[in-house]
Amino acid sequence: MDICKTPENASKCSMNTMECFMVLSTQAQKISIATLCGLFGTLCVFENSLVLYLIFSSPGTRRKPSYLFISSLALADILASIIFVCSFINFHVFNETDFSKEMFLVQLGGVNTSFSASLCSLLLTALDRYISISRPSEYKLLMTRKRAWIALGVLWVTCAIIASLPVLGWNCCTLNSTCSELFPFVDESYLSSWICFVVVLLGCIIYAYSHVLWRAHQHVAYMEKHQVQVGKQNTRMRMDVMLAKTLVIVLTVLVLCWSPALVLMIYSIFARLSDHLRQVFAFCSTLCLLNSMVNPIIYALRSKELYSSLRTVFSRFRRQLKASEESPEAESTHKSSIIET
């Protein structure tokens, strides 16, 4: 009987059983995973690095708490893409097992920390917008830069502590308990706790954005009903409609990217997974990376301030290229080429 299919193998911690978690059986599956991770990871690092540059290159944006939260989101997504792509491809594509249990749990903790910090940054962004629309007159008093930095510090420390628990001893090898079918050395009770943590985060994000969306809908309905100052109301209505569209995109992408992997994680706690379902989970995991790639487009580049900064950067780059083409060296080279001709 195959050791990977025996019920007792769920509680074994030998490095030999690492091969049981390498579920990609064909070369086509490995190439597909490598292509998806490479594409999503490269775009994710480029887009989020651009967002960080745009935010911190402008004094006006880097002082605002809302952009501090977007910066935290971009940083978390960069770390998530780098750690996830390197460890995921190394394990599932190249089938590397030449590392200790502690090293594997450290890599898994890095992925866990970065993805959790990404979700927590989304939550802080959602709460920031929730406060701005529910208590606009008190927003500047409630959301200061000091409080924003404190919130970010608590966020990252909490995510790092939760992610390091398996390395510190909450794993199935140390406790001699049942291991997860999806992650080597991970205790099922820890996986259940982490799933609850993520589900609570997602629920709070959805609640906050649903409230903002409802307030935007109320503003649109009010302005359509009481059209007194037409110009001002039309401008405000366009802003509310744009905000509503953005929030619909936010919630749709968030749910579509995270729900497949979470559903399979929850299912693995209550039932045994077939090899096919574990292969599906491997591909669904890349959707979390896709979410990190889409985040800067939704949260940052739809911002008027960052979009204008991006246009300024591109126009400056275009002027530099034009200046380099019209430099004396370029002209002399052009003239000498004409003479030679």
Side-chain angles (χ1 to χ4, degrees), residues 236-308:
R236 182 62 183 271
M237 188 164 63
R238 283 196 299 269
M239 290 175 60
D240 287 331
V241 170
M242 184 177 178
L243 175 63
K245 290 180 179 178
T246 301
L247 296 181
V248 169
I249 296 172
V250 166
L251 296 179
T252 303
V253 171
L254 191 67
V255 172
L256 289 179
C257 289
W258 277 89
S259 56
L262 283 176
V263 167
L264 287 174
M265 285 185 196
I266 296 171
Y267 182 76
S268 70
I269 295 174
F270 298 100
R272 293 191 59 81
L273 295 178
S274 63
D275 290 341
H276 175 70
L277 282 179
R278 294 201 294 164
Q279 290 171 356
V280 171
F281 176 77
F283 281 92
C284 289
S285 300
T286 61
L287 292 178
C288 300
L289 188 61
L290 175 64
N291 184 228
S292 297
M293 186 194 76
V294 175
N295 279 338
I297 300 174
I298 298 176
Y299 286 89
L301 299 184
R302 287 179 66 91
S303 165
K304 287 185 177 181
E305 291 176 284
L306 292 186
Y307 184 71
S308 61

Side-chain angles (χ1 to χ4, degrees), residues 104-341:
F104 178 84
L105 291 177
V106 166
Q107 291 180 0
L108 188 62
V111 175
N112 192 344
T113 300
S114 51
F115 275 128
S116 299
S118 178
L119 284 177
C120 288
S121 299
L122 290 179
L123 177 59
L124 288 181
T125 305
L127 293 177
D128 175 74
R129 295 184 179 181
Y130 176 87
I131 295 173
S132 67
I133 197 169
S134 61
R135 306 174 74 175
S137 59
E138 304 174 22
Y139 173 76
K140 290 186 177 180
L141 294 175
L142 294 174
M143 193 59 68
T144 61
R145 292 185 74 247
K146 182 179 179 181
R147 290 180 177 177
W149 279 112
I150 292 174
L152 289 176
V154 172
L155 177 159
W156 282 91
V157 170
T158 302
C159 292
I161 291 175
I162 293 175
S164 63
L165 290 178
V167 184
L168 297 176
W170 194 356
N171 58 75
C172 56
C173 301
T174 304
L175 300 176
N176 195 24
S177 55
T178 303
C179 297
S180 167
E181 291 188 67
L182 295 173
F183 306 101
F185 313 124
V186 173
D187 182 72
E188 274 198 351
S189 60
Y190 172 80
L191 181 61
S192 303
S193 302
W194 187 82
I195 291 172
C196 292
F197 173 66
V198 171
V199 169
V200 169
L201 286 178
L202 291 175
C204 292
I205 294 170
I206 292 173
Y207 172 79
Y209 277 137
S210 298
H211 179 80
V212 175
L213 188 61
W214 173 245
R215 291 297 295 266
H217 172 73
Q218 285 182 324
H219 286 163
V220 173
Y222 177 82
M223 290 173 187
E224 287 178 345
K225 193 174 182 180
H226 306 87
Q227 291 196 3
V228 180
Q229 296 177 335
V230 179
K232 184 178 180 181
Q233 287 180 350
N234 286 341
T235 302
R236 182 62 183 271
M237 188 164 63
R238 283 196 299 269
M239 290 175 60
D240 287 331
V241 170
M242 184 177 178
L243 175 63
K245 290 180 179 178
T246 301
L247 296 181
V248 169
I249 296 172
V250 166
L251 296 179
T252 303
V253 171
L254 191 67
V255 172
L256 289 179
C257 289
W258 277 89
S259 56
L262 283 176
V263 167
L264 287 174
M265 285 185 196
I266 296 171
Y267 182 76
S268 70
I269 295 174
F270 298 100
R272 293 191 59 81
L273 295 178
S274 63
D275 290 341
H276 175 70
L277 282 179
R278 294 201 294 164
Q279 290 171 356
V280 171
F281 176 77
F283 281 92
C284 289
S285 300
T286 61
L287 292 178
C288 300
L289 188 61
L290 175 64
N291 184 228
S292 297
M293 186 194 76
V294 175
N295 279 338
I297 300 174
I298 298 176
Y299 286 89
L301 299 184
R302 287 179 66 91
S303 165
K304 287 185 177 181
E305 291 176 284
L306 292 186
Y307 184 71
S308 61
S309 299
L310 181 63
R311 292 183 63 181
T312 303
V313 169
F314 276 135
S315 61
R316 191 187 309 151
F317 179 69
R318 212 179 300 160
R319 285 197 301 269
Q320 290 176 352
L321 282 179
K322 191 175 181 181
S324 63
E325 290 176 357
E326 295 176 355
S327 61
E329 293 81 0
E331 290 181 2
S332 62
T333 304
H334 180 66
K335 289 179 181 177
S336 64
S337 63
I338 294 176
I339 294 173
E340 289 176 2
T341 306

